[in-house]
């Protein structure tokens, strides 16, 4: 069912509570990558350009001790947001109380306020992460409407997304998705539930065990499932092939066998690999076909596999990619991921989607992200979406 979005709301003169994902890397008060702040700008601008009052909040890192508060304050984030918006942002160093309530009461239409890290509430009995009902109700009482734009935490049931949404709805106040959330639902949701065929899934990364849910769900939906990366060799073992010292999950070999039996020729495995004697960029490496020789580990798919995968992908209308094809962090084993990324960029007729924390990092690092249709902003959240799970943060948004 379609979800209510911010453009369905009348935000004029309204106090719009907005859950953003400002969980950015901060070191000594300095923000590293500010992509997540940039990604929230369209929704924030929409609210203020339509004369709403934008009251923003997010978690930042994990707050376990009183000491963590110094490193994990939202103050530098407020400054960066102000720079990006080109207007002042009021920062309130509290998550509740008179100072926050007074600051909200003082807001004029078009103003922006950011309050302190929602996880500061975790020091008091895990109120944020444990979705404390009273906390969700309190935050809901601060505004007229709630917009959730934090896809990255949508797989969690916290007070700042699910708790507040539940309380808003109970008070007959609207709960809507922001534009970023809307985009994630549109691309990830449509790709999996309503794909244009041929639909090809590319699954890689380190472990079969991390991806069982994704493999199962996508095997049902996709026309072909390409397997690459470290998980390949658990499948090789299941086929009785030699794997040398490659990554393997011995306790998942049986499961890999079951998956292969069930999937028949839907699964496409690499036919060659780049192998080395050690998990190291600076050791001799070579390409081998099929079996991995004793004393060698497979660290990337080989050139023949790249061609074979491209052949499967060339007519695809939908491609979902999760998991790098090799150890892309090392230049000698990045080729498979790089070439598949480049090839996806040439599929102008297809919707191409990347989800997963390391996969997103890989396409960005290798510079192949620009030509893809959608790169998800949520690591864990996108994986759970690809598993076909209902994400609590999305479920809590009002339907249209
Ligand atoms: P994502 O975060 O996108 O879901 P994963 O966490 O499953 O992806 O996998 C990413 C990791 O898999 C990378 O760090 C990469 O180095 C590793 N990897 C890929 N291929 C291999 C391989 N052949 N052997 C060992 N590790 C691999
Ligand atoms: Mg990962």
């Amino acid at each position: 069912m379609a979800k209510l979005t911010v453009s369905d709301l009348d935000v004029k003169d309204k106090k719009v509570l907005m859950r953003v994902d400002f969980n950015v890397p901060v070191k000594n008060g300095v923000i590293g990558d500010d992509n997540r702040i940039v990604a929230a700008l369209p929704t924030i601008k929409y609210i203020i350009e339509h004369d709403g009052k934008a009251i923003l909040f997010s978690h930042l890192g994990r707050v376990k001790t009183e000491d963590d508060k110094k490193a994990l304050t939202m103050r530098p984030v407020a400054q960066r947001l102000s720079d990006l918006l080109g207007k002042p942002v009021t920062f309130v160093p509290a998550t509740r109380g008179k100072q926050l309530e007074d600051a909200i009461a003082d807001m004029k239409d078009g103003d922006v306020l950011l309050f302190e890290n929602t996880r500061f509430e975790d020091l008091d009995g895990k109120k944020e992460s444990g979705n404390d009902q009273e906390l969700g109700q309190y935050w809901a009482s601060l505004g007229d409407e709630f917009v959730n734009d934090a896809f990255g935490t949508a797989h969690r049931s916290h007070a700042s997304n699910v708790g507040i949404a539940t309380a808003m709805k109970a008070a007959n106040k609207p709960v809507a998705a922001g534009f970023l959330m809307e985009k994630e639902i549109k691309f990830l949701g449509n790709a999996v539930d309503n794909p244009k065929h041929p639909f090809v899934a590319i699954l890689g990364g380190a472990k079969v065990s991390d991806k069982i849910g994704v493999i199962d769900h996508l095997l049902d939906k996709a026309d072909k499932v390409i397997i690459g990366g470290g998980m390949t060799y658990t499948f090789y073992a299941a086929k009785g092939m030699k794997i040398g010292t490659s990554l393997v999950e011995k306790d998942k070999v049986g499961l890999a066998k079951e998956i292969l039996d069930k999937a028949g020729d839907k699964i496409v495995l690499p036919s060659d690999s780049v192998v080395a004697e050690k998990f190291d960029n600076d050791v001799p490496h070579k390409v081998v076909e099929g079996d991995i020789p004793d004393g060698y580990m497979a660290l990337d798919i080989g050139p023949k596999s790249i061609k074979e995968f491209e052949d499967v992908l060339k007519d695809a209308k939908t491609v979902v990619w999760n998991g790098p094809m090799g150890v892309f962090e090392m230049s000698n084993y990045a080729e498979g991921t790089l070439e598949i990324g480049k090839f996806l960029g040439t599929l102008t007729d297809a919707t191409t989607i990347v989800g997963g924390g390391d996969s997103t990092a890989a396409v960005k690092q290798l510079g192949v992200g620009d030509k893809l249709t959608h790169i998800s902003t949520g690591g864990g959240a996108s994986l759970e979406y690809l598993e076909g799970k209902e994400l609590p943060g999305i479920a809590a948004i009002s339907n249209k």
Side-chain angles (χ1 to χ4, degrees):
M1 195 176 292
K3 293 289 178 186
L4 200 66
T5 63
V6 60
S7 50
D8 297 315
L9 301 180
D10 177 12
V11 299
K12 190 171 161 46
D13 303 329
K14 299 276 169 41
K15 287 177 277 185
V16 185
L17 299 161
M18 179 175 168
R19 174 57 158 104
V20 285
D21 179 4
F22 284 170
N23 185 29
V24 291
V26 182
K27 238 189 187 154
N28 303 322
V30 180
I31 295 171
D33 184 348
D34 66 0
N35 260 323
R36 287 184 167 159
I37 307 177
V38 173
L41 292 177
T43 308
I44 299 170
K45 282 185 179 160
Y46 181 89
I47 294 169
I48 59 181
E49 279 163 12
H50 289 79
D51 292 325
K53 300 165 187 171
I55 304 158
L56 314 179
F57 50 99
S58 171
H59 78 284
L60 179 61
R62 288 215 171 110
V63 183
K64 291 189 183 128
T65 63
E66 200 60 35
D67 242 22
D68 290 339
K69 283 181 159 183
K70 275 189 229 102
L72 295 173
T73 172
M74 280 290 174
R75 192 181 288 277
V77 178
Q79 184 56 52
R80 179 65 61 91
L81 176 63
S82 167
D83 295 343
L84 289 166
L85 283 172
K87 65 177 285 162
V89 170
T90 304
F91 174 67
V92 179
T95 49
R96 61 167 90 210
K98 185 162 181 341
Q99 188 186 4
L100 175 60
E101 291 156 24
D102 288 351
I104 292 174
D106 282 346
M107 288 176 84
K108 298 185 185 57
D109 292 350
D111 280 355
V112 181
L113 178 153
L114 175 68
F115 68 75
E116 191 49 286
N117 186 349
T118 55
R119 289 211 180 143
F120 281 17
E121 291 282 344
D122 278 352
L123 289 179
D124 181 16
K126 289 227 161 247
K127 289 214 160 87
E128 155 72 327
S129 301
N131 191 10
D132 177 76
Q133 194 185 359
E134 181 273 329
L135 180 58
Q137 282 168 348
Y138 172 72
W139 281 335
S141 75
L142 298 174
D144 307 308
E145 300 173 334
F146 176 50
V147 173
N148 186 353
D149 212 18
F151 177 73
T153 44
H155 58 315
R156 307 273 183 240
S157 202
H158 291 173
S160 63
N161 62 346
V162 172
I164 179 173
T166 309
M168 294 295 286
K169 287 192 288 191
N172 276 320
K173 299 177 188 173
V175 177
F179 294 124
L180 181 62
M181 180 75 91
E182 182 187 29
K183 202 164 132 200
E184 296 277 5
I185 296 172
K186 179 176 151 204
F187 285 113
L188 287 174
N190 270 354
V192 179
D193 299 329
N194 216 350
K196 265 199 188 163
H197 292 272
F199 171 23
V200 182
I202 310 172
L203 300 176
K207 292 180 175 173
V208 180
S209 54
D210 288 344
K211 305 292 169 71
I212 292 166
V214 181
I215 299 175
D216 257 352
H217 191 61
L218 292 184
L219 264 181
D220 268 355
K221 307 270 178 178
D223 301 295
K224 288 277 181 196
V225 175
I226 291 173
I227 304 258
M231 69 160 87
T232 303
Y233 306 97
T234 299
F235 283 96
Y236 267 28
K239 292 175 63 147
M241 293 169 68
K242 289 174 67 173
I243 58 164
T245 54
S246 304
L247 196 65
V248 65
E249 288 171 281
K250 293 216 170 84
D251 59 332
K252 294 290 176 287
V253 173
L255 181 79
K257 208 177 250 159
E258 273 171 40
I259 292 173
L260 287 171
D261 287 344
K262 191 171 77 179
D265 60 2
K266 215 181 225 193
I267 288 193
V268 184
L269 287 166
S271 59
D272 62 349
S273 309
V274 177
V275 301
E277 286 178 46
K278 278 197 287 186
F279 192 81
D280 191 331
N281 196 39
D282 303 314
V283 295
H285 49 274
K286 60 182 182 183
V287 174
V288 300
E289 281 208 30
D291 291 317
I292 310 303
D294 292 339
Y296 283 89
M297 61 178 70
L299 296 173
D300 196 8
I301 57 172
K304 196 171 155 213
S305 306
I306 294 173
K307 286 280 162 284
E308 287 162 0
F309 288 1
E310 288 177 355
D311 204 48
V312 174
L313 288 163
K314 67 179 191 309
D315 300 317
K317 289 283 176 286
T318 308
V319 180
V320 169
W321 183 10
N322 166 253
M325 295 292 95
V327 184
F328 72 94
E329 297 92 335
M330 300 185 198
S331 58
N332 285 325
Y333 316 115
E335 196 74 8
T337 307
L338 175 68
E339 289 303 322
I340 295 299
K342 274 204 252 171
F343 188 77
L344 291 183
T346 67
L347 300 177
T348 44
D349 243 12
T351 304
T352 49
I353 294 161
V354 179
D358 292 291
S359 311
T360 302
V363 294
K364 286 187 182 162
Q365 183 191 313
L366 300 172
V368 293
D370 291 352
K371 296 208 166 73
L372 307 182
T373 314
H374 181 65
I375 299 175
S376 178
T377 54
S382 64
L383 275 193
E384 292 200 15
Y385 217 125
L386 297 179
E387 288 174 14
K389 285 191 189 153
E390 180 172 70
L391 308 192
I394 296 177
I397 295 169
S398 307
N399 294 319
K400 270 202 195 188

